[in-house]
Amino acid sequence: MGTVIDITRDFPENFDTNIKITEVGLKSASTRYTGMVYEWIIHSMHGSYIDFPGHIKETDNSERADNFPHERLYRVPCSVIRLNRKSGSGAVTGKDLEKAFGGIPDTPALLINALGKKEPDEVEERSVYLDDSALDWIIASGVRMTVSDIYESRALHGVFLRLFRAGISTVCEPRGLRRIKDSRVFLTVLFQKIPVVTQLPCRLIVETMNG
C-alpha cells in the first residue's frame, strides 16, 4: 500500500449549529449506557462534493448516489496534472494540460492541481478556469471522473454542461492537492448511497502507487 492522502475539504465551521442531538438511554439487567443520535440538515455543496451528470437537468443520465458503480469510486487509477497558476491568470488550455502532464492521460480519472500551493479560496473566484480547448482535451482523453481546483469561468461558458454531456462526473472543492507529488495515483471517493440525489458531499482519498 502506498502513502494515503486525504484531500477532502472540511465542512463549514458553523455546521454543528444545525445538528440536533438526542440522548437515548439503553439498559438491561447487565449494562446501562446512553446512545447519541444525530439529526441535521445538510447542503449538497458542503465540504468537497461530487456532481453526477444529472446535477444538470438537461444532461441527466440516471446515475445517482445510490446506483453509481462502486468500481468507479474505489482505488481508481488517476492521472495528476500540476500547474501553478496565479489568481486572475485566466484560461487553462488543452495545450497547458498536455504540456504539464507530458502527454495524454490513459486513466479513468483525472486530477488537476491548477493552483499549485494555493487553495481555491486563496485566489479570486473563477479567475482561473478551464477553457473550451481544455474541455476538448479532457473529453478526448476518455476520463470518466475529474477532481479539480478549477472549473468554470465568471462568464459561465458551460464547463459542467460539456463535461456532463460527455458522461464525466466532477468532484469539486478538494484541498491540499500540493501534497500529491506523483503523476499517477489511486483515487477513492466515498459517500453514502442516498437515493434521488445527483450531488452530495464526499470524502476524497488519494493513494500513491509506489509506496
Side-chain angles (χ1 to χ4, degrees), residues 27 31 44 53 62 75 89 139 141 149 177 182 195 207:
K27 62 181 179 178
T31 190
S44 64
S62 299
R75 298 189 82 240
S89 60
I139 293 167
S141 76
D149 52 10
L177 299 186
D182 295 17
E207 176 189 342

Side-chain angles (χ1 to χ4, degrees), residues 53-66:
H55 175 53
I56 292 179
K57 183 177 181 179
E58 290 81 0
T59 57
D60 194 344
N61 64 355
S62 299
E63 290 179 339
R64 302 285 186 270
D66 60 338

Side-chain angles (χ1 to χ4, degrees), residues 10-22:
D10 292 337
F11 267 37
E13 292 182 2
N14 65 348
F15 173 74
D16 59 1
T17 62
N18 298 318
I19 297 178
K20 176 184 176 182
I21 303 174
T22 302

Side-chain angles (χ1 to χ4, degrees), residues 68-80 107-111 143-146 184-189 205-207 209:
F68 196 82
H70 65 271
E71 61 270 18
R72 289 169 56 191
L73 295 169
Y74 178 67
R75 298 189 82 240
V76 179
C78 178
S79 299
V80 180
T107 54
L110 175 65
L111 189 154
V143 302
R144 301 297 303 279
M145 181 179 292
T146 61
R184 287 172 60 99
V185 297
F186 292 115
L187 171 70
T188 296
V189 185
I205 307 297
V206 164
E207 176 189 342
M209 293 185 174

